[in-house]
């Protein structure tokens, strides 16, 4: 089970291929999440959903820099990370609807998607809860000499959890191949991060022996470039790093968070959507570089939409687990 | 419904409103009372339980914290020791693991370790309860952990009336008190008088009188037990529903007397069924009423599995009116 | 002493030596096994339980950590998920509060939440036990917290023989296992065969046969119970001493059978007496043997107070041979 | 009870008075601890004892900068802090021996000395366990407008506890009057701090908005000067600070830790004792400045010794609490 991940050679995509692939992945996340919003609003999806819309370039830029067998840990806002790491749309939707064929047999749901085949150690509903897991996976990679790297995604809210500093310190002491990716979308739920975060985020890495960099999270190419560098650094045995990615979530903290003006202005939201949209920025760039024309992008959109629609149909049609499965999988 | 309640009830409040009112009244009464937690000021907490408090009391008394449960619990301990009356908000009861060291090694023990010289009068409010489709890390009922610890008190209200009166007492208490609210009960309505009142910690309440079987239930399981009692009535079984209201201090006397009266007892609690609250309550009953019992005390808690996400799975993990009624019928038939 | 033990016992080891030997054997057998904790390498742990291991296995497999219990527990969870077999050392059981989130929300649940796809085969070794004059923050026995949590297993050895066999099984287990060692028992000697053996988790052991009263005891309380049994013999009372050895999985059958046989039961555990292990064991007995019992199950645990420092105070907080024997006499006389 | 501390005016000792007082306090701690060692070795003291010998200048330099009603929190190695803050030798010894007249009625012992009268919120046997308490006391001081300051003493081992960073962050956000004093005696029990601490300790403050300074912990005047500055800063409403104090413990981690050569050399110990002893350094300085002569210092030694001896006799003669007190003081 723990060896279900087959080591694979580093990703060989380059140039136009790579860029188009990143564009496609971002689009897939966007359309996936729009569909989640729709399912939720139509009361077809149980529980909560935290949409990744607006932040697509972060997951995609980072995960493109990873091998299939590299590890990631994710968060409550995890759909984007899972898809970027290669999860199947069908099995994701099935899990979100609590169906037996879902990634976790319906036992996990939106906040616990996990998938050994793509190195996904799991989304996590405890803020900061996966920082130890990612560091431990890096420990295994180092000890077993597999050359794998672990990426730990977390929101800037997790900067409040002391365990992050405990594990960064150990990662630095032991030179573990882990990249901590802080997604600063500026809000801990309904509270601006400046009200909860003193000092200097970028200084928090070096204080624990972890070199830090910051990057514009709406520019997938920039994210990819810096992630590539940090991942290769880790793989080369040079230890952990912290990547601070500045980004924005377009929707509410979760789907039900609709009236948001008490904590952020419509204008702020509008500005990010119109001026900083990662998919538009990348699309424009692809066209400007002659790597794709609008028609090709539209076609891509259609393909992705079809894949998403298929996933939804698949998930809606799939059966629930039978109640007698409830006490299976408690112990291995 | 107690005598006081019957005499003065004029309004219906939700449980959330009752809690907010208790907090507001205590904050007006005592300037040392303040609240700290995540997203509690302008946002009024994700469950909106605290809406409006920051508007009345200001940001100095309703503090948004970083996502640092251990840290702000520790700060509350120190503030409580030095003259303030902190009320900590832990958004989901599942997160109390982060606070155990502060609550158990510091808050619970400082009075004793200092030979009675310091004390830590703080309240931790948090949630319990499943069936919200929130999966394994947002659905637990972990109150048994705190009940186990000398130096702490544990409160489990089941109605808006009790919630208000008990929370006011908890805030006035000189000790650390943990106050558990079932997140599925925030919209439950019930009578709450206009007049001020408090309910002492350590006094159980008989929510329904009966003669054939005693159902001892906590928090939202009281509502389940009352529903079961109605079902049982149709089967000709008269169920008494007893709500301990506080698990520590525990009103053993009322529990044991009811057990002696009916001779058959079910205990229902939403925590995991193994090594949980039901074990203690069942033990207290068998110790105090053994020779009056017709059958062993029946325990009903959450299934010994992490709470699953999928609705058809989650629904079978917790006691329901139906399963409690079935258990009561079996118990009565089996005698 | 079990049959196997009787057949092959040739050496006496202390409990500490038995644990060290189990670790060394498993580390030789399986290169994935490693240990991490505070002051465990050259120092070999403050209790010297791990002396010599770093010399044999090197600093890559016996890791001194910072004083970061939450952090290194989290790292162990991740390492366990990805192919290693971590054994975490938490110096005093009192510090487990710092690890509860990692153990309970991560380690215990990842297998279930992932629909069986990931697993976290790790062992946490830690201590319990009072009377070391270490005061309230270094004397607790908090194992009940872990017993309450589905997904975890909890082991409580009472002899060197059991400690070795159970620890080897714990390390080979595919699940997170918490292994509690009574710090006052490290020097306890007992026979341990040269030959390799393991003891399955979930099998109780009858440490002494008897017919008048059953004493179910855990960890060091087994020794107390055996001492009490000797005292009782002088009073003409034949006590059976049953050691569950693992609290989860729990060998209910053996416990219940003994209860049925003797019809009187005392459960003794060093955790706080309220909402603790004794409540669950007493409940299991009354559920399974109610109609065979002559008297209610008697529970004996630590007094519901933070453990005091002063010797004359501390000594009265935990069950002793004398108090257990007295309770047994009362129980037998009372029938 | 929580108001048992009477606010007092800032300490008015100056010049020679102050310096002699500091010398005396250091000497008192030294002789107290030597007596503890003796009691323990003669099996007259139950439990564990962590001696402060070698570190006296830290507690004394910092506490001299405090008012009586200022708060401190202490650690497992707490005797020095308690005495420096003004604890009575008699009641300290009584507590260490588990006697009823002790500071905590015998319920706390060496690791839990607490005393509202001197603002002592308690020694603490959990590494890092009092960081929240000190910060909370600073919170009260700010809210109640008392002008008090809280000092949080901790060993460098507590840098491993994430809660420290959580509370520093909040102290910075809320500008709380707290001074975090990190006593770096170079060892976490039996492990050198460089094996457990990555990055830069001094950078850890500013990363969380807490300005930091370092000082030689064997020079009581230097400690006093910088502590004074940071305490006044806090009192003035300018927020928290972190003071890193470099020092050394002469004895074992606890009294039973006798064979120490596997983790540190005798030579290292000898060097600190002969070249960096805080009491000798201060004594020499007092003499060189003409503030005292050797005879005066010897006389002082005699006085302090008499006080210590009295305390031991008092404590040995005092009765134990009766067992029926065991369940008092559980609840207030
Ligand atoms: C330990 C813990 N505390 C609180 C929560 C409740 N909670 C869920 S998401 C969230 C905010 C997280 O903010 P951030 O880390 O910035 O992630 P984002 O939602 O912005 O992606 C909070 C407080 C939690 N899940 N875990
Ligand atoms: C949370 C916690 N973990 C471990 C311990 C055990 N322990 C007691 S003292 C100590 C070392 C502390 O080192 P440091 O903080 O540098 O203080 P020093 O002893 O050097 O004064 C340890 C690991 C503890 N008391 N609390
Ligand atoms: Mg955020
Ligand atoms: Mg140190």
């Amino acid at each position: 089970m723990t060896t279900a991940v087959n080591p694979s050679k580093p990703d060989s995509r380059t140039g136009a291929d790579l860029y188009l692939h990143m564009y496609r992945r971002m689009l897939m996340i966007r359309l996936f999440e729009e569909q989640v919003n729709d399912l939720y609003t139509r009361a077809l999806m149980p529980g909560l959903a935290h949409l990744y819309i607006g932040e697509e370039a972060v997951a995609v830029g980072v995960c493109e820099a990873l091998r299939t067998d590299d590890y990631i840990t994710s968060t409550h806002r995890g759909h984007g990370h899972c898809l970027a790491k290669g999860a199947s749309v069908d099995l994701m939707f099935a899990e979100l609807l609590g169906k037996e064929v879902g990634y976790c047999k319906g036992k996990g749901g939106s906040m616990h998607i996990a998938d050994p085949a793509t190195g996904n150690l799991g989304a996590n509903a405890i803020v900061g809860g996966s920082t130890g897991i990612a560091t431990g996976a890096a420990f295994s990679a180092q000890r077993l000499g597999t050359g794998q790297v672990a990426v730990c995604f977390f929101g800037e809210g997790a900067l409040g959890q002391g365990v992050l500093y405990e594990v960064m310190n150990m990662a630095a002491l032991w030179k573990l191949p882990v990249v901590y990716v802080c997604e600063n979308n500026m809000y801990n739920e309904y509270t601006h991060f400046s009200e909860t975060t003193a000092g200097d985020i970028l200084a928090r890495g070096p204080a624990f022996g972890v070199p830090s960099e910051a990057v514009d999270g709406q520019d997938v190419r920039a994210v990819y470039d810096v992630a590539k560098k940090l991942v290769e650094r880790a793989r080369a045995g040079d230890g952990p790093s912290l990547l601070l990615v500045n980004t924005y979530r377009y929707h509410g903290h979760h789907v039900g968070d609709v009236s948001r003006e008490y904590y952020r202005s419509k204008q702020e939201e509008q500005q990010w959507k119109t001026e900083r949209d990662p998919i538009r920025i990348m699309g424009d760039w692809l066209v400007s570089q002659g790597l794709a024309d609008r028609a090709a992008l539209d076609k891509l959109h259609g393909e992705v939409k079809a894949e998403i629609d298929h996933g939804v149909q698949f998930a809606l049609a799939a059966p629930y687990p039978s109640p007698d499965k409830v006490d299976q999988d408690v112990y291995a | 419904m107690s005598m006081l309640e019957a005499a003065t009830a004029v309004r219906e409040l939700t449980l959330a409103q009752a809690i907010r009112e208790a907090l507001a009244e205590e904050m007006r009464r005592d300037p040392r009372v303040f609240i700290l937690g995540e997203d509690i000021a302008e946002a009024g907490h994700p469950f909106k339980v605290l809406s409006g408090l920051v508007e009345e009391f200001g940001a100095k008394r309703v503090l948004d914290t970083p996502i640092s449960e251990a840290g702000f619990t520790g700060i509350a301990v120190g503030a409580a020791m030095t003259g303030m009356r902190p009320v900590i908000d832990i958004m989901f009861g599942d997160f109390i693991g982060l606070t155990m060291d502060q609550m158990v090694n510091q808050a619970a023990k400082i009075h004793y370790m200092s030979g009675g010289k310091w004390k830590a009068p703080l309240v931790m409010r948090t949630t319990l309860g499943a069936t919200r489709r929130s999966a394994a890390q947002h659905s637990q009922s972990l109150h048994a952990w705190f009940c186990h610890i000398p130096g702490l008190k544990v409160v489990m209200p089941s109605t808006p009336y009790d919630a208000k009166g008990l929370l006011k007492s908890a805030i006035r208490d000189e000790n650390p008190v943990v106050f558990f609210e079932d997140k599925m009960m925030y919209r439950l309505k019930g009578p709450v008088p206009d007049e001020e009142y408090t309910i002492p910690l350590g006094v159980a309440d008989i929510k329904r009188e009966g003669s054939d079987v005693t159902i001892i239930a906590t928090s939202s399981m009281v509502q389940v037990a009352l529903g079961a009692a109605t079902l049982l009535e149709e089967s000709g079984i008269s169920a008494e529903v007893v709500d301990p209201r506080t698990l520590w201090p525990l009103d053993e006397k009322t529990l044991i007397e009811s057990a002696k009266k009916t001779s058959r007892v079910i205990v229902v609690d939403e925590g995991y069924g193994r090594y949980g609250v039901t074990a203690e309550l069942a033990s207290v009953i068998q110790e105090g009423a053994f020779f009056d019992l017709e059958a062993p005390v029946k325990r009903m808690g959450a299934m010994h599995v992490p709470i699953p996400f999928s609705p058809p799975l989650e629904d079978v993990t917790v006691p329901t009116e139906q399963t409690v009624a079935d258990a009561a019928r079996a118990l009565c038939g089996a005698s």
Side-chain angles (χ1 to χ4, degrees), chain A, chain B:
Chain A
M1 175 184 312
T2 51
T3 52
V5 175
N6 291 318
S8 71
K9 55 186 171 353
D11 198 309
S12 53
R13 267 188 292 267
T14 47
D17 260 15
L18 172 69
Y19 294 130
L20 279 166
H21 183 76
M22 293 202 289
Y23 181 82
R24 189 179 199 285
R25 273 275 159 92
M26 290 198 292
L27 200 58
M28 177 180 290
I29 295 170
R30 175 73 51 98
L31 299 186
F32 183 94
E33 295 291 58
E34 283 174 355
Q35 190 58 62
V36 170
N37 198 22
D38 182 62
L39 285 168
Y40 190 89
T41 315
R42 287 160 58 209
L44 291 172
M45 186 186 145
L48 287 177
H50 306 83
L51 303 183
Y52 199 65
I53 294 179
E55 310 190 23
E56 295 88 346
V58 187
V60 171
V62 171
C63 289
E64 278 307 314
L66 296 177
R67 303 195 318 211
T68 305
D69 70 333
D70 283 335
Y71 294 114
I72 63 163
T73 63
S74 167
T75 69
H76 58 285
R77 195 176 305 290
H79 308 163
H81 309 132
C82 299
L83 290 167
K85 195 66 174 54
S88 130
V89 166
D90 292 9
L91 306 188
M92 289 271 301
F93 273 123
E95 187 59 33
L96 263 53
L97 298 188
K99 300 304 180 69
E100 166 123 51
V101 293
Y103 268 117
C104 314
K105 303 185 189 162
K107 285 171 176 164
S110 164
M111 296 197 288
H112 302 292
I113 307 277
D115 177 25
T118 55
N120 181 350
L121 292 160
N124 209 305
I126 302 296
V127 168
S130 75
T131 54
I133 293 176
T135 311
F139 184 95
S140 289
Q142 185 193 67
R143 286 303 194 267
L144 300 171
T146 61
Q148 289 160 292
V149 169
V151 166
C152 178
F153 288 105
F154 59 89
E156 88 293 339
L159 294 168
Q161 290 288 326
V163 71
L164 171 65
Y165 308 103
E166 297 188 7
V167 301
M168 285 207 304
N169 183 51
M170 284 182 271
L173 287 169
W174 303 335
K175 281 209 164 192
L176 301 180
V178 52
V179 181
Y180 301 97
V181 177
C182 178
E183 301 180 308
N184 186 1
N185 63 10
M186 308 209 309
Y187 294 90
N188 308 177
E189 289 201 343
Y190 318 111
T191 304
H192 195 270
F193 84 102
S194 62
E195 289 174 50
T196 60
T197 320
D200 177 2
I201 299 178
L202 262 190
R204 292 187 180 187
F208 296 89
V210 178
S212 305
E213 299 216 24
V215 70
D216 172 5
Q218 308 310 91
D219 178 349
V220 71
R221 291 181 303 123
V223 174
Y224 171 80
D225 287 344
V226 64
K228 189 99 195 156
K229 187 178 77 182
L230 298 179
V231 166
E232 291 319 322
R233 182 178 185 283
R235 212 183 301 285
D238 293 333
S241 53
L242 169 64
L243 178 58
L244 175 61
V245 193
N246 296 300
T247 184
Y248 199 77
R249 67 164 155 76
Y250 292 178
H251 286 245
H253 169 64
H254 60 78
V255 176
D257 169 29
V258 199
S259 311
R260 300 186 286 272
E261 277 168 277
Y262 70 90
Y263 71 88
R264 68 186 203 187
S265 69
K266 284 222 160 105
Q267 193 198 338
E268 178 184 290
E269 294 188 359
Q270 207 46 49
Q271 217 164 350
W272 279 87
K273 287 184 200 172
T274 52
E275 297 169 19
R276 310 281 307 276
D277 187 68
I279 298 178
R280 182 174 320 173
I281 290 173
M282 187 61 172
D284 288 352
W285 183 83
L286 287 170
V287 171
S288 77
Q289 299 295 306
L291 295 174
D293 58 16
R294 290 285 163 200
L297 297 187
D298 287 348
K299 180 156 165 281
L300 210 85
H301 190 283
E303 283 167 24
V304 172
K305 185 80 183 74
E307 191 175 339
I308 298 291
D309 288 345
H310 179 273
V312 174
Q313 292 319 315
F314 170 83
L316 285 171
Y320 284 111
S322 96
D324 60 12
K325 299 281 169 65
V326 68
D327 57 2
Q328 290 177 9
D329 304 315
V330 180
Y331 291 93
Chain B
M1 202 188 298
S2 74
M3 295 302 287
L4 173 68
E5 187 182 2
T8 59
V10 289
R11 306 177 299 165
E12 293 255 316
L13 293 187
T14 63
L15 190 105
Q17 288 168 332
I19 285 166
R20 190 182 313 135
E21 198 168 87
L23 288 166
E25 285 180 14
E26 292 305 299
M27 291 178 81
R28 280 178 214 131
R29 186 186 60 79
D30 184 346
R32 301 169 304 170
V33 178
F34 71 103
I35 317 182
L36 69 176
E38 297 151 18
D39 303 295
I40 64 165
E42 285 73 21
H45 193 284
F47 295 134
K48 302 298 168 200
V49 181
L50 307 178
S51 305
L53 292 178
V54 74
E55 285 75 8
E56 178 172 353
F57 299 102
K60 291 265 162 201
R61 295 183 68 196
V62 183
L63 277 92
D64 275 333
T65 63
I67 307 173
S68 304
E69 284 83 0
F72 69 77
T73 300
I75 289 176
V77 178
M81 288 172 67
T82 51
M84 300 294 287
R85 293 271 168 168
V87 178
I88 324 169
D89 188 296
I90 301 291
M91 197 184 288
F92 283 79
D94 307 70
F95 312 153
I96 60 171
L98 295 161
T99 73
M100 291 311 276
D101 186 65
Q102 291 300 320
M103 289 299 285
V104 169
N105 281 328
Q106 309 300 341
K109 296 185 177 32
I110 185 65
H111 189 64
Y112 193 81
M113 293 190 306
S114 69
K117 287 192 178 154
W118 292 108
K119 59 181 177 169
L122 63 87
V123 175
M124 174 183 282
R125 286 180 45 251
T126 190
T127 66
L128 55 71
T131 69
R132 200 168 159 268
R133 285 53 171 125
S134 303
Q137 294 175 337
H138 277 67
S139 307
Q140 294 169 93
S141 303
L142 296 171
H143 46 291
W145 285 352
F146 285 130
C147 295
H148 187 46
I149 304 300
L152 300 179
K153 297 185 178 181
V154 179
V155 184
M156 307 269 288
S158 69
T159 67
Y161 178 83
D162 286 354
K164 182 176 175 190
L166 292 166
L167 182 52
K168 286 169 70 87
S169 293
I171 293 171
R172 296 181 193 186
D173 201 277
E174 298 296 332
N175 300 285
V177 180
V178 191
F179 192 91
F180 281 94
E181 300 161 15
D182 188 300
K183 58 179 93 72
M184 301 303 283
M185 250 169 37
Y186 281 129
R187 295 189 191 159
L188 176 79
K189 284 200 165 183
V192 177
D194 271 319
E195 294 72 27
E196 177 165 38
Y197 66 96
T198 59
I199 299 173
L201 307 186
V203 181
D205 191 38
I206 298 179
K207 294 291 183 205
R208 182 190 205 276
E209 304 232 359
S211 52
D212 296 327
V213 60
T214 294
I215 308 177
I216 299 173
T218 65
S219 188
S220 64
M221 291 298 113
V222 172
Q223 303 301 330
V224 166
L226 290 170
T230 306
L231 295 177
L232 288 167
E233 207 171 288
E234 291 159 19
S235 316
I237 295 173
S238 161
E240 175 147 308
V241 176
V242 184
D243 176 1
R245 295 204 288 203
T246 59
L247 290 176
W248 196 263
L250 180 65
D251 181 357
E252 299 190 7
K253 192 161 155 290
T254 301
L255 272 50
I256 290 168
E257 272 167 14
S258 177
K260 285 185 173 170
K261 182 173 89 175
T262 64
S263 78
R264 292 176 186 84
V265 182
I266 301 179
V267 291
V268 196
D269 176 83
E270 206 178 335
Y272 298 123
R274 284 316 189 123
Y275 294 92
V277 162
T278 59
E280 179 69 20
L281 299 181
S283 294
V284 163
I285 296 300
Q286 72 108 19
E287 281 158 8
F290 182 80
F291 298 103
D292 297 280
L293 293 179
E294 295 287 339
V297 180
K298 167 81 182 166
R299 296 189 288 155
M300 302 183 75
M303 196 179 276
H304 202 65
V305 305
I307 317 284
F309 165 68
S310 188
L313 300 186
E314 186 178 30
D315 285 340
V316 300
T317 64
V318 289
T320 62
E321 294 181 6
Q322 202 55 61
T323 57
V324 172
D326 287 348
R329 276 188 213 102
L331 198 62
C332 292
S335 68

